[in-house]
Amino acid sequence: MTTLAGESLNSCAGCEVALLNLGETLLDLLPQIQIVHLPVLVDNKYYGQLGQSSRLTLPKAVVGLVSGGIRNTEHLELLHAMREQVDVLVALGTCAATGGLPALANLTPEKSITEFAFTQAPSLAVQGPNAPMPQPKNTSIPEILPQCLPLSAHVKVDMVIPGCPPHPEWIAEGILSLLEGRPAAFPSRSVCSSCPTWRKGTPGNGSEGNRPVRRMLEQPSYDPEAPLSSMQCLLEQGFMCLGPVTLAGCGGRTGSPKCIAARTPCRGCQGPALSSSIPSVEYVAALTAAGINGATMPDKPGYISRFNAACDALLQLRESTRA
Ligand code: SF4
Ligand code: SF4
Ligand code: SF4
């Protein structure tokens, strides 16, 4: 029997819902695993069952599944407690792996975010200099950290299950591979590799060779009654589809990429394809190859680094030169 613990940190809980969406596969796995800590399923107190302990402790387990990145001191404490107690630490989902959407906050200095949230946000009852600012040092409120970072920025991570949230098939594959003592067979290619749309393959010429980016306010061209394979690649149609630099697998082992199946461009939620060392640079090359003028891209860092702002090499470089 393999013991399993799970914890969600700077997480929207979508990864935990994906875990529950294992459905019958979860029932098949249950005879082989013993869940010792998983707030979404199993109640286990952090400070002893009666609150008698003054130190946060988690039970020992062979496998630890952790979703969400690290944004505050509480997340960090829980992550270290998990790392101490488990043999194999698994980063579950894009936030844990690369920071995910919450790491977009790294594009703005933490001080500005805090000041806006507590003194300027339109929803505040009291705005301006009289608005109460949080005083975490004097209370039990965890302190916000300067950046939202993935687990691997703080501790050793043994496995990454990709996705936002991961497709249940990849969660099952990750757990099964650990139970069977074999490497996990996760996707390694880009979303484009599993996209059924048709491609012309070469950019147009003349004005088409330097087209501006098309926003999703415009309608792509496709026949809603016809299969996906009859729709031209959305990047070739001029839309910012991040398929070329995004890891495949959101549709599971055999399904089409989910957004493409819904006739919208890929936003990059699986995180960077493994072959993409600097996705932002590679994406500009993909735009150019499709005859699109990358300079017309709106909100460049926010768009290209939507799911990996914590890890994007260019953004990190910008941070280091700022310091
Ligand atoms: S990876 Fe996606 S689903 Fe999972 S916690 Fe982050 S935002 Fe939510
Ligand atoms: S760029 Fe987008 S639409 Fe085109 S092949 Fe790749 S995933 Fe499909
Ligand atoms: S198509 Fe892209 S953004 Fe959409 S679910 Fe798949 S990986 Fe995520």
Side-chain angles (χ1 to χ4, degrees), residues 68-71 95-96 98-99 103 106 147-154 310 316:
I70 307 300
R71 173 82 265 199
C95 290
T98 62
N106 295 348
Q147 284 198 309
C148 176
L149 295 175
L151 309 189
S152 59
H154 295 282
Q316 293 303 312

Side-chain angles (χ1 to χ4, degrees), residues 216-239:
M216 275 315 290
L217 299 169
E218 293 179 56
Q219 179 72 16
S221 170
Y222 65 89
D223 176 354
E225 304 299 329
L228 265 184
S229 55
S230 70
M231 181 173 81
Q232 186 183 9
C233 163
L234 294 172
L235 188 63
E236 287 191 351
Q237 290 195 43
F239 294 98

Side-chain angles (χ1 to χ4, degrees), residues 3 7 13 47 53 57 61 92-93 112 142 152 170 183 220 253 256 264 285 315:
T3 45
E7 191 48 77
Y47 294 92
S53 172
T57 47
L92 178 65
S112 308
S152 59
W170 304 129
R253 287 182 196 280
S256 295
T264 63
L315 293 178

Side-chain angles (χ1 to χ4, degrees), residues 45-54:
K45 302 287 187 284
Y46 297 110
Y47 294 92
Q49 290 306 101
L50 300 174
Q52 72 277 25
S53 172
S54 58

Side-chain angles (χ1 to χ4, degrees), residues 17-305:
V17 173
L19 189 59
L20 298 182
N21 278 347
L22 281 171
E24 288 185 7
T25 309
L26 182 58
L27 297 180
D28 292 342
L29 287 173
L30 280 179
Q32 300 175 69
I33 57 177
Q34 182 189 357
I35 298 173
V36 295
H37 176 84
L38 188 61
V40 72
L41 274 182
V42 177
D43 185 26
N44 174 68
K45 302 287 187 284
Y46 297 110
Y47 294 92
Q49 290 306 101
L50 300 174
Q52 72 277 25
S53 172
S54 58
R55 182 172 180 268
L56 184 151
T57 47
L58 297 175
K60 279 202 171 300
V62 175
V63 179
L65 297 176
V66 178
S67 69
I70 307 300
R71 173 82 265 199
N72 66 33
T73 50
E74 182 180 62
H75 300 148
L76 195 54
E77 188 180 0
L78 269 165
L79 175 64
H80 281 296
M82 185 67 100
R83 180 66 276 185
E84 272 174 27
Q85 295 294 68
V86 304
D87 299 331
V88 180
L89 184 73
V90 180
L92 178 65
T94 305
C95 290
T98 62
L101 273 182
L104 270 182
N106 295 348
L107 300 178
T108 309
E110 173 263 320
K111 192 165 177 284
S112 308
I113 296 173
T114 310
E115 274 177 10
F116 177 83
F118 289 95
T119 68
Q120 297 162 28
S123 56
L124 290 172
V126 181
Q127 291 173 325
N130 294 329
M133 290 286 284
Q135 305 294 331
K137 285 200 167 65
N138 305 325
T139 69
S140 57
I141 300 172
E143 257 185 272
I144 193 167
L145 296 171
Q147 284 198 309
C148 176
L149 295 175
L151 309 189
S152 59
H154 295 282
V155 298
K156 176 173 170 281
V157 170
D158 304 300
M159 174 187 279
V160 170
I161 301 182
C164 175
H167 192 286
E169 284 179 6
W170 304 129
I171 300 179
E173 169 64 12
I175 296 174
L176 269 173
S177 70
L178 292 171
L179 293 176
E180 294 168 2
R182 59 171 173 81
F186 292 136
S188 59
R189 301 179 68 194
S190 73
V191 169
C192 293
S193 70
S194 59
C195 178
T197 59
W198 70 268
R199 284 150 249 184
K200 192 159 59 175
T202 51
N205 47 29
S207 60
E208 203 190 344
N210 194 27
R211 297 172 296 168
V213 164
R214 291 175 72 191
R215 308 294 301 275
M216 275 315 290
L217 299 169
E218 293 179 56
Q219 179 72 16
S221 170
Y222 65 89
D223 176 354
E225 304 299 329
L228 265 184
S229 55
S230 70
M231 181 173 81
Q232 186 183 9
C233 163
L234 294 172
L235 188 63
E236 287 191 351
Q237 290 195 43
F239 294 98
M240 280 192 57
C241 182
L242 291 181
V245 293
T246 301
L247 188 64
C250 59
R253 287 182 196 280
T254 54
S256 295
K258 285 184 178 169
C259 298
I260 308 301
R263 320 276 180 163
T264 63
C266 170
R267 304 296 200 193
C269 81
Q270 284 263 127
L274 298 184
S275 58
S276 298
S277 50
I278 307 183
S280 45
V281 173
E282 292 184 17
Y283 189 64
V284 171
L287 282 179
T288 306
I292 298 171
N293 181 356
T296 63
M297 198 190 316
D299 182 20
K300 294 182 190 64
Y303 213 114
I304 303 185
S305 305

